[in-house]
Structure formats: C-alpha cells, structure tokens
Amino acid sequence: NFGQRFASYDRSMREKLIFEQKIVNTMVESLQREEFLVYLQPKVAVDTSRIIGAEALIRWKHPEFGMISPADFIPVFEKNSFIYSVDLFVWEKVCRMLRDWKSKGITGIPVSVNVSRTDLYHEALPETLTSMITAYGLSPEELHLEITESAYVQNSRQLPDAIRRLKEMEFIIEMDDFGSGYSSLNTLSELPIDVMKLDRLFLYQAENDPRRQKVMQFVIDLAKELHLQVIAEGVETEDQAGLLRKLGCRYAQGFLYGRPMPEAEFLACLAAAPK
Ligand code: C2E
Ligand code: MG
Ligand code: MG
Ligand code: MG
C-alpha cells in the first residue's frame, strides 16, 4: 500500500541523508589520515592480453563504514567542492607511484586518473597538473586524464577551453563513459580527444542486440577514422571479448582481465602478463 511504501521511501531517504552527513563530517580528517587509497585496474590489448596501462580508482577505507565505493561518495564530494582536494591527492599519489616505477625500470605503463567535471572549473588546473608532473620528473603522456562525458554536456565555453588548455600542455585526454548518456557527435568533432572509452552499458546492451552492435561498430569505426584509441570498459566475459574482436575494438578494461587492485598486486600482474 502507498502509505507503507511512502514510509519506507521516507526512511531510506533519511538514511541516505544521514550517511551523506556522516561522510561529509569525516572526509577532511580521512584525507589527512590517508584513509583514501588508490587502486589500479589494468587496461589491456584484447588480442594479446598485454597490459597497456592502468586506471587509478579511488577507494575509501572509512572508519565506520569500511570500504565504500566512489559511486557513493564522489557525487557527494562534487556537491560540496571537496572533490578537488581529493582528486589532487589521487593525482599526486599516482605521480609518486610513476616516479617509483621509473626508478625500478618500469616504464611504458601510463596511468589514467579521473578528472571530475567540477575540477575543470578550477582556472589553474592545467598549470597545477603541469607543475605536479614536473615536480615528479614525469612527462604529460605518462599521466592520462579521464574526463567523463557528462562534463561536456553543459555547453558552456569554459569546459572545452579547460580541455583544450590541458591538451596544449600535451596531456592525453580520454573521454570516459562514452555512450552512457548524452553522447554528442559534437564533442567528437570539437574537442581534442585522444582516447574514447566505451561505457560498460554500451557493450553490455550490444551483446545480444544486432542493432546496437551496428551502432557500436559505427562508433568504433568513426573513432578510428579520427585516430582515437578505443577502449571498451566493463569487459567481464570471453563472449564480450569476442564481440570486441569482431567489431575491431583493440583495447579493453574489465573484470575479465583484472579488477581494481592495490599497487603491489598490480605490479605482480604486470610482471606475470605477456610482454
Ligand atoms: P569510471 O571512471 O568509469 O571507472 C570504471 C568503473 O567501472 C570503476 O568503478 C571500476 O571498478 C568499474 N569496473 C571496471 N571493470 C568492470 C567490470 O568488468 N564490470 C563492472 N561491473 N564494473 C567494472 P569504481 O571504481 O566504483 O568507480 C566508479 C566511478 O567513480 C568511476 O567510473 C569514476 O567516474 C569515479 N571515480 C573513481 N575514482 C575517482 C577519482 O579518483 N576521482 C574522481 N573524480 N572520480 C573517480
Ligand atoms: Mg574513468
Ligand atoms: Mg568509465
Ligand atoms: Mg563509469
């Protein structure tokens, strides 16, 4: 009955608000205590399973809630502008990691970091990122930037400008979650993108749907025509990998090849993977 349903909706809304309030109350201290961790997920070549790079994904080892997913806290941080501090923390962690790898002779594995759309509104973002990589002795092609497609939606000039300035500083720009929502061919023709990451749902829905496969084929061919590297996200099964081969999508990321994992585990995977 409606009354009951409304009551439980009400309760879950309240629980959500309490949860959000609690994470807002603890976030600053958590950052100081380094309760945020950076996991790495391999990006691979579909035909050889060679590891071509990694994506850095944040995890929060919360004192009360245990490991919580970025899907639960990133949107909250984006609302209260704490996101920039957290992203700076992640980017710097990744820079330090890349510098360590270099000193151990591990090279040629670029790591992508996620850049929130709200980070793009920070005027000094391109300079900040450039001084960060310089301080760690890195070049821009070692730290790729994943910018989610929704960042392009608000058609203000500021966002494309920020992306263009990052590109001028020679960062590699990856369009994250392509096909997830408001994909616009406009963004493809206007923005200097280097990599297109096909959203997980795109692949999932195409699997048993010839019409969607045609659309996917078209998008992959178009990306190639534009000299973009195409990476399929969320590859979980051999069947999906087979479809990617059929469609000519050469790169992938997903549980089939490796889950997001701590750095040490990633390095072990890298050592064991085909060269
Ligand atoms: P994303 O950037 O699209 O990252 C891919 C997400 O898909 C990750 O979720 C990853 O764990 C998950 N994934 C990878 N392979 C598979 C698969 O085969 N199957 C399924 N079902 N999922 C897979 P995660 O780590 O929970 O992150 C969620 C989102 O949170 C990310 O989506 C990204 O938008 C955001 N995020 C994560 N870390 C950061 C960060 O440091 N900064 C910012 N601003 N956002 C972040
Ligand atoms: Mg991403
Ligand atoms: Mg993605
Ligand atoms: Mg995503």
Side-chain angles (χ1 to χ4, degrees):
N1 97 353
F2 179 77
Q4 240 166 359
R5 252 194 299 141
F6 185 75
S8 80
Y9 172 77
D10 209 36
R11 199 176 317 124
S12 73
M13 273 301 283
R14 264 198 57 209
E15 275 165 14
K16 189 166 174 265
L17 284 174
I18 291 168
F19 172 78
E20 284 193 8
Q21 197 52 56
K22 279 189 173 169
I23 66 176
V24 167
N25 290 341
T26 45
M27 63 191 187
V28 175
E29 211 181 333
S30 264
L31 188 60
Q32 286 160 352
R33 291 198 198 140
E34 304 222 359
E35 287 166 350
F36 291 97
L37 310 172
V38 177
Y39 276 27
L40 297 174
Q41 185 179 33
K43 295 182 175 183
V44 306
V46 175
D47 54 353
T48 59
S49 295
R50 197 171 61 85
I51 296 177
I52 58 147
E55 176 175 5
L57 293 157
I58 194 171
R59 297 291 178 264
W60 189 356
K61 211 173 164 194
H62 193 277
E64 182 182 350
F65 302 115
M67 276 292 196
I68 49 180
S69 154
D72 291 325
F73 62 83
I74 293 289
V76 180
F77 292 175
E78 283 178 333
K79 265 192 284 185
N80 61 35
S81 77
F82 185 63
I83 187 69
Y84 193 55
S85 314
V86 171
D87 280 342
L88 284 170
F89 172 83
V90 172
W91 303 339
E92 184 145 20
K93 274 260 180 261
V94 170
C95 287
R96 193 170 304 143
M97 218 163 57
L98 284 165
R99 186 187 59 188
D100 288 353
W101 291 2
K102 221 178 231 185
S103 71
K104 295 183 198 158
I106 304 165
T107 54
I109 304 293
V111 177
S112 321
V113 293
N114 286 283
V115 176
S116 162
R117 82 181 133 265
T118 56
D119 297 334
L120 294 169
Y121 286 107
H122 288 259
E123 193 60 32
L125 175 70
E127 289 76 18
T128 304
L129 273 166
T130 299
S131 18
M132 197 185 277
I133 58 166
T134 308
Y136 286 91
L138 306 170
S139 55
E141 65 272 16
E142 295 173 86
L143 184 78
H144 293 197
L145 307 177
E146 291 194 12
I147 297 168
T148 173
E149 199 191 356
S150 60
Y152 307 93
V153 174
Q154 298 145 291
N155 229 344
S156 91
R157 302 245 329 241
Q158 214 177 349
L159 290 178
D161 276 356
I163 293 164
R164 219 167 275 127
R165 281 169 57 222
L166 288 165
K167 188 65 211 159
E168 274 162 22
M169 296 183 155
E170 291 172 16
F171 284 102
I172 308 285
I173 311 290
E174 305 196 7
M175 185 194 272
D176 207 348
D177 303 331
F178 185 85
S180 60
Y182 308 91
S183 333
S184 121
L185 294 177
N186 241 358
T187 58
L188 280 183
S189 41
E190 280 180 9
L191 294 176
I193 306 296
D194 303 285
V195 180
M196 178 196 278
K197 297 191 75 183
L198 296 176
D199 192 68
R200 179 161 66 87
L201 210 63
F202 210 44
L203 174 66
Y204 181 79
Q205 291 176 331
E207 220 183 332
N208 298 303
D209 185 338
R211 187 186 168 101
R212 286 181 197 269
Q213 281 180 26
K214 286 208 171 103
V215 175
M216 199 165 162
Q217 179 78 75
F218 176 82
V219 167
I220 290 167
D221 291 344
L222 177 61
K224 283 183 180 168
E225 201 66 40
L226 296 169
H227 305 290
L228 306 183
Q229 186 188 51
V230 187
I231 305 181
E233 301 189 282
V235 182
E236 295 181 349
T237 65
E238 281 297 345
D239 282 352
Q240 290 174 337
L243 176 60
L244 295 178
R245 278 188 210 99
K246 191 178 110 185
L247 299 178
C249 176
R250 295 176 54 204
Y251 303 100
Q253 189 181 338
F255 296 167
L256 178 64
Y257 307 103
R259 290 184 175 258
M261 59 190 108
E263 181 194 1
E265 232 174 278
F266 176 79
L267 289 177
C269 275
L270 189 63
K275 292 293 172 308

PDB file of all heavy atoms in Angstrom, residues 126 140 145 160-173 191-194:
ATOM      1  N   PRO A 126      45.241  23.319 -15.427  1.00  0.00           N
ATOM      2  CA  PRO A 126      46.321  22.875 -16.322  1.00  0.00           C
ATOM      3  C   PRO A 126      47.717  23.173 -15.766  1.00  0.00           C
ATOM      4  O   PRO A 126      48.600  22.318 -15.810  1.00  0.00           O
ATOM      5  CB  PRO A 126      46.059  23.667 -17.616  1.00  0.00           C
ATOM      6  CG  PRO A 126      44.606  24.016 -17.560  1.00  0.00           C
ATOM      7  CD  PRO A 126      44.305  24.230 -16.117  1.00  0.00           C
ATOM      8  N   PRO A 140      53.900  14.567 -19.675  1.00  0.00           N
ATOM      9  CA  PRO A 140      52.430  14.516 -19.672  1.00  0.00           C
ATOM     10  C   PRO A 140      51.845  13.229 -20.262  1.00  0.00           C
ATOM     11  O   PRO A 140      50.756  12.827 -19.866  1.00  0.00           O
ATOM     12  CB  PRO A 140      52.009  15.750 -20.481  1.00  0.00           C
ATOM     13  CG  PRO A 140      53.238  16.297 -21.096  1.00  0.00           C
ATOM     14  CD  PRO A 140      54.405  15.778 -20.339  1.00  0.00           C
ATOM     15  N   LEU A 145      44.422  11.703 -18.609  1.00  0.00           N
ATOM     16  CA  LEU A 145      43.299  12.303 -17.890  1.00  0.00           C
ATOM     17  C   LEU A 145      41.982  11.773 -18.433  1.00  0.00           C
ATOM     18  O   LEU A 145      41.694  11.919 -19.621  1.00  0.00           O
ATOM     19  CB  LEU A 145      43.352  13.832 -18.036  1.00  0.00           C
ATOM     20  CG  LEU A 145      44.685  14.500 -17.660  1.00  0.00           C
ATOM     21  CD1 LEU A 145      44.620  16.002 -17.925  1.00  0.00           C
ATOM     22  CD2 LEU A 145      45.041  14.230 -16.194  1.00  0.00           C
ATOM     23  N   PRO A 160      35.205  23.135 -22.624  1.00  0.00           N
ATOM     24  CA  PRO A 160      36.089  22.861 -23.752  1.00  0.00           C
ATOM     25  C   PRO A 160      37.395  23.628 -23.650  1.00  0.00           C
ATOM     26  O   PRO A 160      38.450  23.103 -23.984  1.00  0.00           O
ATOM     27  CB  PRO A 160      35.282  23.330 -24.959  1.00  0.00           C
ATOM     28  CG  PRO A 160      33.869  23.246 -24.518  1.00  0.00           C
ATOM     29  CD  PRO A 160      33.877  23.531 -23.049  1.00  0.00           C
ATOM     30  N   ASP A 161      37.369  24.862 -23.148  1.00  0.00           N
ATOM     31  CA  ASP A 161      38.600  25.629 -23.016  1.00  0.00           C
ATOM     32  C   ASP A 161      39.567  24.954 -22.075  1.00  0.00           C
ATOM     33  O   ASP A 161      40.759  24.854 -22.351  1.00  0.00           O
ATOM     34  CB  ASP A 161      38.310  27.050 -22.511  1.00  0.00           C
ATOM     35  CG  ASP A 161      37.932  27.962 -23.661  1.00  0.00           C
ATOM     36  OD1 ASP A 161      37.988  27.490 -24.813  1.00  0.00           O
ATOM     37  OD2 ASP A 161      37.580  29.122 -23.403  1.00  0.00           O
ATOM     38  N   ALA A 162      39.041  24.481 -20.955  1.00  0.00           N
ATOM     39  CA  ALA A 162      39.890  23.794 -19.989  1.00  0.00           C
ATOM     40  C   ALA A 162      40.525  22.572 -20.652  1.00  0.00           C
ATOM     41  O   ALA A 162      41.721  22.330 -20.504  1.00  0.00           O
ATOM     42  CB  ALA A 162      39.069  23.376 -18.776  1.00  0.00           C
ATOM     43  N   ILE A 163      39.728  21.831 -21.404  1.00  0.00           N
ATOM     44  CA  ILE A 163      40.238  20.632 -22.058  1.00  0.00           C
ATOM     45  C   ILE A 163      41.287  21.002 -23.105  1.00  0.00           C
ATOM     46  O   ILE A 163      42.328  20.361 -23.223  1.00  0.00           O
ATOM     47  CB  ILE A 163      39.075  19.827 -22.660  1.00  0.00           C
ATOM     48  CG1 ILE A 163      38.203  19.282 -21.523  1.00  0.00           C
ATOM     49  CG2 ILE A 163      39.581  18.691 -23.534  1.00  0.00           C
ATOM     50  CD1 ILE A 163      36.845  18.817 -21.948  1.00  0.00           C
ATOM     51  N   ARG A 164      41.002  22.037 -23.848  1.00  0.00           N
ATOM     52  CA  ARG A 164      41.953  22.480 -24.864  1.00  0.00           C
ATOM     53  C   ARG A 164      43.286  22.915 -24.236  1.00  0.00           C
ATOM     54  O   ARG A 164      44.361  22.605 -24.743  1.00  0.00           O
ATOM     55  CB  ARG A 164      41.339  23.638 -25.673  1.00  0.00           C
ATOM     56  CG  ARG A 164      41.660  23.572 -27.151  1.00  0.00           C
ATOM     57  CD  ARG A 164      40.800  24.516 -27.956  1.00  0.00           C
ATOM     58  NE  ARG A 164      39.508  23.937 -28.304  1.00  0.00           N
ATOM     59  CZ  ARG A 164      38.327  24.496 -28.060  1.00  0.00           C
ATOM     60  NH1 ARG A 164      38.252  25.655 -27.439  1.00  0.00           N
ATOM     61  NH2 ARG A 164      37.223  23.900 -28.438  1.00  0.00           N
ATOM     62  N   ARG A 165      43.191  23.598 -23.106  1.00  0.00           N
ATOM     63  CA  ARG A 165      44.426  24.036 -22.439  1.00  0.00           C
ATOM     64  C   ARG A 165      45.220  22.845 -21.907  1.00  0.00           C
ATOM     65  O   ARG A 165      46.439  22.824 -21.962  1.00  0.00           O
ATOM     66  CB  ARG A 165      44.092  25.018 -21.316  1.00  0.00           C
ATOM     67  CG  ARG A 165      43.823  26.438 -21.876  1.00  0.00           C
ATOM     68  CD  ARG A 165      43.231  27.362 -20.831  1.00  0.00           C
ATOM     69  NE  ARG A 165      44.061  27.484 -19.658  1.00  0.00           N
ATOM     70  CZ  ARG A 165      43.601  27.496 -18.410  1.00  0.00           C
ATOM     71  NH1 ARG A 165      42.307  27.379 -18.180  1.00  0.00           N
ATOM     72  NH2 ARG A 165      44.422  27.628 -17.389  1.00  0.00           N
ATOM     73  N   LEU A 166      44.497  21.827 -21.412  1.00  0.00           N
ATOM     74  CA  LEU A 166      45.197  20.619 -20.956  1.00  0.00           C
ATOM     75  C   LEU A 166      45.891  19.942 -22.123  1.00  0.00           C
ATOM     76  O   LEU A 166      46.999  19.439 -22.017  1.00  0.00           O
ATOM     77  CB  LEU A 166      44.199  19.657 -20.290  1.00  0.00           C
ATOM     78  CG  LEU A 166      43.700  20.097 -18.916  1.00  0.00           C
ATOM     79  CD1 LEU A 166      42.463  19.296 -18.514  1.00  0.00           C
ATOM     80  CD2 LEU A 166      44.808  19.954 -17.877  1.00  0.00           C
ATOM     81  N   LYS A 167      45.217  19.967 -23.255  1.00  0.00           N
ATOM     82  CA  LYS A 167      45.765  19.355 -24.460  1.00  0.00           C
ATOM     83  C   LYS A 167      46.995  20.122 -24.947  1.00  0.00           C
ATOM     84  O   LYS A 167      47.984  19.522 -25.370  1.00  0.00           O
ATOM     85  CB  LYS A 167      44.668  19.315 -25.535  1.00  0.00           C
ATOM     86  CG  LYS A 167      45.005  18.542 -26.766  1.00  0.00           C
ATOM     87  CD  LYS A 167      45.194  17.075 -26.473  1.00  0.00           C
ATOM     88  CE  LYS A 167      46.193  16.466 -27.425  1.00  0.00           C
ATOM     89  NZ  LYS A 167      46.781  15.231 -26.908  1.00  0.00           N
ATOM     90  N   GLU A 168      46.926  21.433 -24.846  1.00  0.00           N
ATOM     91  CA  GLU A 168      48.079  22.255 -25.226  1.00  0.00           C
ATOM     92  C   GLU A 168      49.299  21.925 -24.373  1.00  0.00           C
ATOM     93  O   GLU A 168      50.432  22.048 -24.816  1.00  0.00           O
ATOM     94  CB  GLU A 168      47.752  23.747 -25.075  1.00  0.00           C
ATOM     95  CG  GLU A 168      47.065  24.331 -26.305  1.00  0.00           C
ATOM     96  CD  GLU A 168      46.369  25.652 -25.997  1.00  0.00           C
ATOM     97  OE1 GLU A 168      46.736  26.315 -24.998  1.00  0.00           O
ATOM     98  OE2 GLU A 168      45.446  26.003 -26.762  1.00  0.00           O
ATOM     99  N   MET A 169      49.035  21.506 -23.158  1.00  0.00           N
ATOM    100  CA  MET A 169      50.145  21.120 -22.274  1.00  0.00           C
ATOM    101  C   MET A 169      50.516  19.660 -22.488  1.00  0.00           C
ATOM    102  O   MET A 169      51.272  19.092 -21.694  1.00  0.00           O
ATOM    103  CB  MET A 169      49.755  21.420 -20.839  1.00  0.00           C
ATOM    104  CG  MET A 169      49.564  22.914 -20.662  1.00  0.00           C
ATOM    105  SD  MET A 169      49.199  23.365 -18.995  1.00  0.00           S
ATOM    106  CE  MET A 169      49.796  25.054 -19.003  1.00  0.00           C
ATOM    107  N   GLU A 170      49.959  19.080 -23.545  1.00  0.00           N
ATOM    108  CA  GLU A 170      50.320  17.748 -24.029  1.00  0.00           C
ATOM    109  C   GLU A 170      49.839  16.585 -23.175  1.00  0.00           C
ATOM    110  O   GLU A 170      50.359  15.472 -23.259  1.00  0.00           O
ATOM    111  CB  GLU A 170      51.837  17.658 -24.282  1.00  0.00           C
ATOM    112  CG  GLU A 170      52.216  18.536 -25.478  1.00  0.00           C
ATOM    113  CD  GLU A 170      53.724  18.664 -25.684  1.00  0.00           C
ATOM    114  OE1 GLU A 170      54.466  17.863 -25.119  1.00  0.00           O
ATOM    115  OE2 GLU A 170      54.117  19.567 -26.419  1.00  0.00           O
ATOM    116  N   PHE A 171      48.822  16.838 -22.353  1.00  0.00           N
ATOM    117  CA  PHE A 171      48.206  15.720 -21.642  1.00  0.00           C
ATOM    118  C   PHE A 171      47.387  14.889 -22.626  1.00  0.00           C
ATOM    119  O   PHE A 171      46.878  15.414 -23.624  1.00  0.00           O
ATOM    120  CB  PHE A 171      47.301  16.222 -20.512  1.00  0.00           C
ATOM    121  CG  PHE A 171      48.064  16.698 -19.318  1.00  0.00           C
ATOM    122  CD1 PHE A 171      48.242  18.052 -19.084  1.00  0.00           C
ATOM    123  CD2 PHE A 171      48.641  15.787 -18.443  1.00  0.00           C
ATOM    124  CE1 PHE A 171      48.978  18.503 -17.984  1.00  0.00           C
ATOM    125  CE2 PHE A 171      49.382  16.226 -17.349  1.00  0.00           C
ATOM    126  CZ  PHE A 171      49.542  17.577 -17.120  1.00  0.00           C
ATOM    127  N   ILE A 172      47.273  13.601 -22.350  1.00  0.00           N
ATOM    128  CA  ILE A 172      46.439  12.715 -23.160  1.00  0.00           C
ATOM    129  C   ILE A 172      45.035  12.739 -22.559  1.00  0.00           C
ATOM    130  O   ILE A 172      44.846  12.473 -21.369  1.00  0.00           O
ATOM    131  CB  ILE A 172      46.979  11.266 -23.128  1.00  0.00           C
ATOM    132  CG1 ILE A 172      48.468  11.219 -23.494  1.00  0.00           C
ATOM    133  CG2 ILE A 172      46.128  10.351 -24.000  1.00  0.00           C
ATOM    134  CD1 ILE A 172      48.784  11.408 -24.942  1.00  0.00           C
ATOM    135  N   ILE A 173      44.054  13.075 -23.374  1.00  0.00           N
ATOM    136  CA  ILE A 173      42.687  13.211 -22.883  1.00  0.00           C
ATOM    137  C   ILE A 173      41.853  11.997 -23.286  1.00  0.00           C
ATOM    138  O   ILE A 173      41.739  11.661 -24.468  1.00  0.00           O
ATOM    139  CB  ILE A 173      42.005  14.482 -23.440  1.00  0.00           C
ATOM    140  CG1 ILE A 173      42.902  15.721 -23.279  1.00  0.00           C
ATOM    141  CG2 ILE A 173      40.634  14.680 -22.799  1.00  0.00           C
ATOM    142  CD1 ILE A 173      43.093  16.199 -21.874  1.00  0.00           C
ATOM    143  N   LEU A 191      36.317  18.595 -29.735  1.00  0.00           N
ATOM    144  CA  LEU A 191      37.321  18.542 -28.677  1.00  0.00           C
ATOM    145  C   LEU A 191      38.504  17.651 -29.026  1.00  0.00           C
ATOM    146  O   LEU A 191      38.352  16.639 -29.701  1.00  0.00           O
ATOM    147  CB  LEU A 191      36.661  18.072 -27.375  1.00  0.00           C
ATOM    148  CG  LEU A 191      35.650  19.063 -26.826  1.00  0.00           C
ATOM    149  CD1 LEU A 191      34.960  18.488 -25.605  1.00  0.00           C
ATOM    150  CD2 LEU A 191      36.318  20.380 -26.493  1.00  0.00           C
ATOM    151  N   PRO A 192      39.671  18.052 -28.569  1.00  0.00           N
ATOM    152  CA  PRO A 192      40.900  17.313 -28.895  1.00  0.00           C
ATOM    153  C   PRO A 192      41.060  16.074 -28.020  1.00  0.00           C
ATOM    154  O   PRO A 192      41.867  16.042 -27.112  1.00  0.00           O
ATOM    155  CB  PRO A 192      41.992  18.336 -28.594  1.00  0.00           C
ATOM    156  CG  PRO A 192      41.419  19.201 -27.527  1.00  0.00           C
ATOM    157  CD  PRO A 192      39.939  19.227 -27.721  1.00  0.00           C
ATOM    158  N   ILE A 193      40.280  15.059 -28.311  1.00  0.00           N
ATOM    159  CA  ILE A 193      40.290  13.833 -27.521  1.00  0.00           C
ATOM    160  C   ILE A 193      41.279  12.840 -28.134  1.00  0.00           C
ATOM    161  O   ILE A 193      41.397  12.771 -29.350  1.00  0.00           O
ATOM    162  CB  ILE A 193      38.883  13.189 -27.572  1.00  0.00           C
ATOM    163  CG1 ILE A 193      37.798  14.175 -27.141  1.00  0.00           C
ATOM    164  CG2 ILE A 193      38.817  11.918 -26.751  1.00  0.00           C
ATOM    165  CD1 ILE A 193      37.907  14.618 -25.741  1.00  0.00           C
ATOM    166  N   ASP A 194      41.982  12.096 -27.297  1.00  0.00           N
ATOM    167  CA  ASP A 194      42.924  11.092 -27.795  1.00  0.00           C
ATOM    168  C   ASP A 194      42.388   9.673 -27.675  1.00  0.00           C
ATOM    169  O   ASP A 194      42.764   8.788 -28.435  1.00  0.00           O
ATOM    170  CB  ASP A 194      44.235  11.165 -26.996  1.00  0.00           C
ATOM    171  CG  ASP A 194      44.840  12.555 -27.051  1.00  0.00           C
ATOM    172  OD1 ASP A 194      45.395  12.900 -28.097  1.00  0.00           O
ATOM    173  OD2 ASP A 194      44.721  13.304 -26.058  1.00  0.00           O
TER     174      ASP A 194
END
